[in-house]
Amino acid sequence: MQEASGNRWKRYDVWDDRPLRYDRFTPDSPEDGFCATNSPTDPKPSLVMGDGRVVEMDGVAEDAFDMIDTFIARHHIDPDVAGEAMAIDSGDFARRLVDVNVARGELVRLARGMTPAKLCDVLDSMNTLELSFAQAKLRTRRMPGNQAHVTNAKDDPVQLAADAATAAAMGFDEIETTMRVARNSWSNALACLIGAAVGKPGTLFQCACEEAEELRLGMAGLTSYAETVSVYGTEGSFVDGDDTPWSKAFLIAAYTSRGIKARCTSGGGAELLMGFHDTRSLLYLEARCLCVQRAIGVQGTQNGGIDGAPVTGSMTGGMREILAENVLAALLDLECASGNDTRISESEIRVGAKIMPHLMSGTDFLCSGFGSIPAYDNSFAASLFNAEEIEDFLAVQRDFELDGGIHHVPEDHVMALRRRAVDALDAVFRDLGLGDIGEAQKASVVQASGSRDTDTFRLSEIGVISETIARKGITLLDIIAALGRTGFDDVAENLLLLLRYRVSGDYLQTAAVIRDGQVISAVTHPNDYTGPGTGHRLTAERREEIAGIRGLLTKREIFESAERHAARERRRYHLQAIGPATGGTIRDEVVIAISPAFGRKLHQTTSGQFLSDVMKALFDGIQEAGGRARVVRAWHTADTSFLGLTAARLSASGIGIGIQAKGTAVIHTADDYPHMNLELFSQAPITGLGHYRRMGHNAACYARGERPEPVSIPYKGEALGARFHVQTSLIHALETAMVKAEAEPEELKVTFHE
Amino acid sequence: MNEGRRSDGKPAGEFVTTGGRPVDDLTLANVLDGTVDESDVGIRPAVLRHQGTIARGAGRDRLADNFERGAELVDVPDEEIFATYEKLRPGRARSRAELIELARYYRQTYGAHRIAELIESAADVYERRRLFQKRF
């Protein structure tokens, strides 16, 4: 932070203290690779066919093709539609992308004949709103979904099992883990597999590690999908990433041959971070990546910045570019796990803004993945959202009635699941001779929010467990049998469900997930959005899940607390009705008019002050200024201003105080319009007893014709409405229900006990 | 037991495992008594080709091609899969001939014509783009 100097606007000090200032931003500089879209060196779209093959693409002749051009020209470009597709005006095609009357299938068909530069040209005219809308239309699966990261800083298998169960129960369709220490992969995989199966049947699971090692885990049946099959947009970065489109195509076929779902991964900024950006824009390089992926024949992609998202976010239009990447994936008919898996900013506002266009459109997997564990436990580095912010995410889902794929799980259910997950893991460990998990260890994990709360194995012990799993060649069948032998039949059955689908190859189709025991994919449930009322809509059941976040406040809570307080208040003071209220005769009196429910059905202000104490504070304030207090109950109104005016009109001094049970109060004079008050205390939630005492004091001063300093209540900018308006509305409805329009105010005798 | 539904809407039970049993035989009782073993839990080439047909029917030509390549790799042992993947990474094979020989092996040993074509196509491009150059 800079020192404040005499010549500096202090607003900069305020801004300097905000988390946003940790973020870095940079102007466009295509020569350094910093250019989200439209680099001056991006090629213009072109395609020339000859002898049934591509002889020129995006300005490059066949003999100058690099390996990526070659792969795209041979395997992505569909010669049957290329001529038609390339001839379409890009702006016209962009309009079709947002036209509900043009079918998705037609757009996807034409995209097969488009070159990377052409695809960029199409998206060039689309703004953020249009891109989001296009995604809603182009997404492959009808229902959106979500994926969770389940990792921890200790690579603790016990915690992994509990956290995987928790994430699965929250509704994540896929779970992804990775390790702090590479050799722990087998232990991580076994623990997450068992935990996820405790959470719910059919959660797909992967363990991100070295390509060949990941394939080994899949072959043993410990994982059911893979998504770290990286693809790059320049030849330099592809080779530096130690692969080629051909090696990746082989790898994807290998996964398929073992019944393992796979998706590639790519994203803006990757080539820049690797030092091989070729001065091209991020979107153009990503278009190349995605054409390669379609050409490989993979069912889907994890794209949209990914690890490069923060550097992409430093550029003008970076977030829009990321959105465009995901739209391109959908247009190429690929399942899209749309990034949102890297903390792109220290600013919570930028984080919330980042997710919105994706959440509005829905994608096959909104996050890839969402940090279901605390940020410090995320071995991929902090995700866009982490365990700390899950409830924020759930609230946003609820606010807009959007389906982000997850829901709240009640605490008692979570605790039971976590216990069952660690018990199941313990049973398998013992049965397969992998070790013993102590009771203290299990108990600490069940309750833990993150690894800072756990007692667990030493890292070296976990290494031994992991190596034992690999050495013994433990497979999915061994785990199913172990669960069956130890009484965890239901968990074993959940894994058998996955196994049967694996053998029938059903979750290999585009965008497949398993929900309620069924495979849901772009084949069984294609996105059929064609405008309002079509496509994915919240069912009544799903809406209820989304609505059911924690800590909902209802009348019941309010009334229950009011009843508890009534007993206390009876011991503190007594309000006795002694007949109709009449005009006063004592010149220095202050009349206090209380609302219908004050001290009857309601006993506490929104700031938590008991009404007996509030009354006492007003009395004390009036008395210390030499005044006399008189109290009446209004029945005809519960409005603060009219309460104040009623009090003032009954007061011999012409000064009255009106106060509602929730604590809102006013000092009024008899000869002014209802809302022209002397002092208003509208922010009841921050009004304390000292303020009420000074209110009484000032009212007594006005009664003597003095002009006291008005009471000011310090406000720190809290969102008082968010904190109190539910309560206020419920309380006030109770007041207004007690109003009797025809009834006259009645005189009260106030007796304070003690 | 959870009843599965296939991508083409038919019950999962119609599928047959690598061990020749109906998929519905993959039960806990059969796992526990050893009736079902590792030989049963692989996916069969015919199943992958069938999924390829479904994908092609849904307009996904390239995904269908991948299903067909996957079908060709079902019988290839794990260690050979790893070795071939390694060989296709940049700088592992040292000459075009090495890859052409690998393609011939796949074609002859496994009848894997599509995989062979993929490897042959790599051989041409790797030579032109100098990807046979030593990397470590």
Side-chain angles (χ1 to χ4, degrees), chain B residues 42-58:
Chain B
I43 194 162
R44 291 168 62 242
V47 169
L48 287 172
R49 291 201 176 92
H50 176 74
Q51 293 292 358
T53 307
I54 292 172
R56 208 174 286 283

Side-chain angles (χ1 to χ4, degrees), chain B residues 80-125:
Chain B
E80 271 188 46
I81 295 266
F82 292 123
T84 304
Y85 171 54
E86 179 66 11
K87 192 62 89 182
L88 284 169
R89 295 177 114 168
R92 306 305 205 276
R94 306 308 304 279
S95 70
R96 185 176 182 281
E98 215 177 314
L99 289 186
I100 295 297
E101 169 55 25
L102 185 62
R104 192 197 58 77
Y105 171 78
Y106 266 90
R107 200 173 262 120
Q108 283 194 349
T109 315
Y110 303 108
H113 298 286
R114 288 163 186 278
I115 290 292
E117 280 166 26
L118 182 77
I119 298 171
E120 283 160 359
S121 143
D124 292 342
V125 179

Side-chain angles (χ1 to χ4, degrees), chain A residues 4 177 200 265 282 291 302-303 358 365 503 546 554 716 749:
Chain A
T177 194
K200 73 166 186 298
T265 182
L282 271 48
C291 290
Q302 167 193 232
N303 83 328
H358 298 91
F365 295 91
V503 168
I546 286 173
T554 65
K716 291 182 291 218
K749 182 178 169 220

Side-chain angles (χ1 to χ4, degrees), chain A residues 343-401:
Chain A
R343 191 76 170 183
I344 41 89
S345 175
E346 293 286 2
S347 156
E348 293 199 333
I349 290 179
R350 288 188 85 209
V351 166
K354 168 77 174 69
I355 197 73
M356 270 320 283
H358 298 91
L359 191 55
M360 286 196 291
S361 63
T363 65
D364 294 315
F365 295 91
L366 269 174
C367 301
S368 61
F370 190 118
S372 74
I373 32 65
Y376 72 79
D377 262 339
N378 199 322
S379 303
F380 294 97
S383 187
L384 186 66
F385 286 87
N386 300 284
E388 294 87 339
E389 298 103 6
I390 288 178
E391 292 199 331
D392 298 66
F393 184 90
L394 294 177
V396 175
Q397 256 192 170
R398 184 177 186 272
D399 291 339
F400 294 93
E401 297 185 274

